[in-house]
């Protein structure tokens, strides 16, 4: 199955190509959402559609990094538009086998795979969506 491979700092992640609508350069500024959880960067206008943008680093509980995000990976979630702010996108690769990830898993992580001798954390689109919804339900 083909996956979009992207990075958060030096860590590599993948999402099934079928779950990704497109990759775009983020705007200079996002419109902040009042009282939104810290992982929500804000919203952006993309060709007349309002897209909620989430800092993937914060959603996954990763430490702050030195490299600023340079891409938004837009998920194909039906009527809801969701963008993941990432450091960069490496391309599209075939991921043959996904193994269970060691340690404590979150619903957003499906497992790990080897790609070109390096590890890739494979994310679950439904799990990411559920994690974003949980941000809003737990913040109240």
């Amino acid at each position: 199955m083909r996956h979009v491979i992207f990075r958060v700092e030096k860590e590599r992640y993948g999402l099934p190509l079928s779950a990704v609508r497109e990759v775009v350069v983020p705007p200079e500024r996002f419109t902040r959402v009042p009282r939104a959880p810290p992982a929500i960067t804000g919203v952006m206008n993309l060709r007349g559609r309002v897209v909620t943008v989430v800092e993937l680093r914060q959603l996954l509980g990763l430490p702050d990094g030195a490299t600023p995000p340079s891409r938004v990976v837009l998920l194909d979630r039906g009527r809801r538009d969701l963008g993941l702010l990432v450091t960069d996108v490496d391309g599209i690769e075939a991921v043959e086998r996904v193994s269970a990830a060691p340690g404590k898993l979150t619903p957003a992580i499906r497992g790990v795979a080897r790609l070109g001798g390096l590890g890739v954390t494979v994310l679950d689109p439904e799990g990411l969506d559920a994690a974003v919804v949980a941000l809003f339900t737990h913040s109240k």
Side-chain angles (χ1 to χ4, degrees), residues 18-129:
S18 61
V20 176
R21 181 179 304 148
E22 65 183 299
V23 176
V24 298
V25 175
E28 287 185 29
R29 292 186 315 168
F30 293 95
T31 302
R32 295 291 306 158
V33 177
R35 297 191 310 229
I40 304 295
T41 303
V43 295
M44 66 184 232
N45 181 338
L46 183 67
R47 295 183 292 279
R49 295 183 71 146
V50 176
V51 178
T52 301
V53 179
V54 177
E55 172 84 39
L56 185 59
R57 174 191 338 263
Q58 289 187 8
L59 185 66
L60 297 177
L62 302 173
D64 287 340
T67 309
S70 70
R71 296 290 181 266
V72 176
V73 176
L74 296 170
L75 300 184
D76 193 358
R77 305 301 311 146
R79 291 180 170 231
R80 185 177 10 199
D81 290 315
L82 178 62
L84 303 174
L85 197 55
V86 301
T87 303
D88 207 354
V89 174
D90 293 342
I92 298 171
E93 300 281 345
V95 173
E96 299 302 324
R97 199 180 80 178
V98 178
S99 304
K104 181 182 170 195
L105 287 182
T106 68
I109 297 176
R110 193 169 130 226
V112 294
R114 303 274 313 152
L115 204 64
L118 299 172
V120 173
T121 301
V122 178
L123 300 174
D124 180 73
E126 287 78 23
L128 286 171
D129 204 34

Side-chain angles (χ1 to χ4, degrees), residues 1-5 14-19 91-96:
M1 180 187 275
R2 293 165 33 111
H3 283 65
V4 176
I5 307 299
L15 274 167
L17 182 59
S18 61
I92 298 171
E93 300 281 345
V95 173
E96 299 302 324

